[in-house]
Amino acid sequence: MKKNSIVLFMILCFSTVSLFAQTNTAKDDRIRVIAIFAHPDDGDAKMGGTAALLAELGYAVKFVAITNGDAGHQTEGGGALAKRRRAEAQESARRLGIDEYKVLDNHDGELLPELHVRQQVIREIRNWNADIVLGLRPNDYHPDHRYAGVLVQDAAYLVVVPNVTPDTPPLTKNPVFLYMEDGFQKPNPFSPDIVVGIDKVIDKKIDGLDAHESQMYEWLPWVSGRLDQVPKDKKLRKEMVKRGYVERGSLSAEKKKALEKWYGKAEGSKFKYAESFEICEYGKQPTEAEIRELFPMFQKK
């Protein structure tokens, strides 16, 4: 009886290991997306809708904040604020449905494009085995945003070089690198090469932003002088976020044209909300057919 129990236990263990291996293999077959930015909440604002859509399609999606956000508040700071913002990031990941939201332990407001941080970025991209890497453009009002953009740019070629950051195996292919949208015009304006309609997941995007309470309802309103206008009611707060962080950017004629290109004129003309991306020259240069494969919500031609 004892012998039979041991055999049964071994069979169960083998079955569990086999199932785990099969699950991991399936996950490894997913298209893998990583967005790297300066602060917890940057990614949510720039591409929370696209992240939610890709997650729904079964993509492996990861957010990485290079700094821990420990300076982004008017009355809190340091380790306590960093801990709070990490917790907000985890809650946002849950609401968006993405795989992971990692916050690195570099100080907010002190980010520089130094070698050790570049190595951190290279490791994140390699360890995720990324097919698509999204970063910020290196022209922005906030130095952390600028340098986060530079760090991702600097990693774009080096992720395939074995002798750079040799403690982490290099990628065998250079991913597609994309910039997330901004409104800055100098030295060069943003180009909406890829535009994703996010009407289907607009509520998920708002829920993701809403998870960052320290930013949406405390820090950012304080910076803009509108802290006294933040509603107490949770529903009204979300409406404020939608009004302030989503609807303020109306679709330009250029973006509408891009939506019609990718979705077809009939479908593309229906969208009210969208997120845009510019192809970075430093990574793989995808053809239109490859873009449609990477973003299967687009109509095939």
Side-chain angles (χ1 to χ4, degrees), residues 19-261:
L19 180 61
F20 180 77
Q22 291 170 10
T23 302
N24 271 1
T25 301
K27 283 186 177 180
D28 289 343
D29 291 338
R30 295 186 295 169
I31 294 178
R32 307 186 69 80
V33 180
I34 187 168
I36 303 174
F37 37 85
H39 311 108
D41 83 302
D42 288 347
D44 311 61
K46 297 283 188 180
M47 58 163 296
T50 302
L53 278 176
L54 294 178
E56 287 183 2
L57 289 169
Y59 284 34
V61 181
K62 180 175 182 176
F63 278 3
V64 178
I66 300 178
T67 80
N68 59 20
D70 60 357
H73 203 276
Q74 66 275 28
T75 58
E76 300 178 23
L81 179 59
K83 182 178 179 180
R84 183 183 179 192
R85 296 197 68 182
R86 276 196 177 90
E88 291 172 343
Q90 301 316 306
E91 176 59 18
S92 175
R94 186 190 69 78
R95 296 182 185 187
L96 292 175
I98 65 175
D99 294 72
E100 187 176 350
Y101 203 134
K102 187 170 183 178
V103 179
L104 303 183
D105 201 22
N106 299 300
H107 290 301
D108 184 359
E110 299 180 11
L111 185 62
L112 292 171
E114 296 176 329
L115 179 58
H116 75 282
V117 188
R118 183 199 300 168
Q119 290 172 333
Q120 290 177 334
V121 171
I122 290 171
R123 291 186 188 105
E124 291 297 331
I125 296 170
R126 287 177 174 178
N127 286 331
W128 198 245
N129 192 22
D131 298 293
I132 304 173
V133 180
L134 299 107
L136 303 171
R137 291 204 308 159
N139 42 312
D140 193 284
Y141 76 98
H142 197 306
D144 285 356
H145 295 173
R146 291 198 296 272
Y147 296 141
V150 169
L151 287 160
V152 174
Q153 277 188 174
D154 288 351
Y157 167 66
L158 297 179
V159 293
V160 302
V161 181
N163 286 321
V164 172
T165 319
D167 58 4
T168 310
L171 296 183
T172 57
K173 63 185 186 314
N174 205 3
V176 173
F177 281 75
L178 302 175
Y179 295 117
M180 295 179 273
E181 184 176 3
D182 62 69
F184 297 98
Q185 300 298 304
K186 297 180 180 179
N188 53 291
F190 175 85
S191 175
D193 299 324
I194 300 170
V195 184
V196 178
I198 61 167
D199 292 36
K200 177 186 173 185
V201 292
I202 189 63
D203 290 336
K204 274 193 176 183
K205 172 165 181 159
I206 299 305
D207 284 345
L209 287 167
D210 173 73
H212 297 275
E213 293 185 358
S214 68
Q215 304 304 293
M216 298 300 112
Y217 308 124
E218 298 170 23
W219 171 238
L220 295 175
W222 183 83
V223 170
S224 64
R226 298 177 180 175
L227 186 59
D228 60 343
Q229 298 176 27
V230 176
K232 301 295 183 185
D233 180 79
K234 290 186 176 181
K235 183 179 179 181
L236 293 177
R237 283 186 166 199
K238 286 188 179 182
E239 290 177 2
M240 181 193 78
V241 170
K242 186 174 182 179
R243 193 167 55 248
Y245 297 95
V246 178
E247 293 183 343
R248 66 180 177 185
S250 59
L251 293 178
S252 65
E254 192 177 13
K255 291 177 191 174
K256 288 178 181 178
K257 184 177 179 180
L259 284 167
E260 292 178 4
K261 169 188 175 180

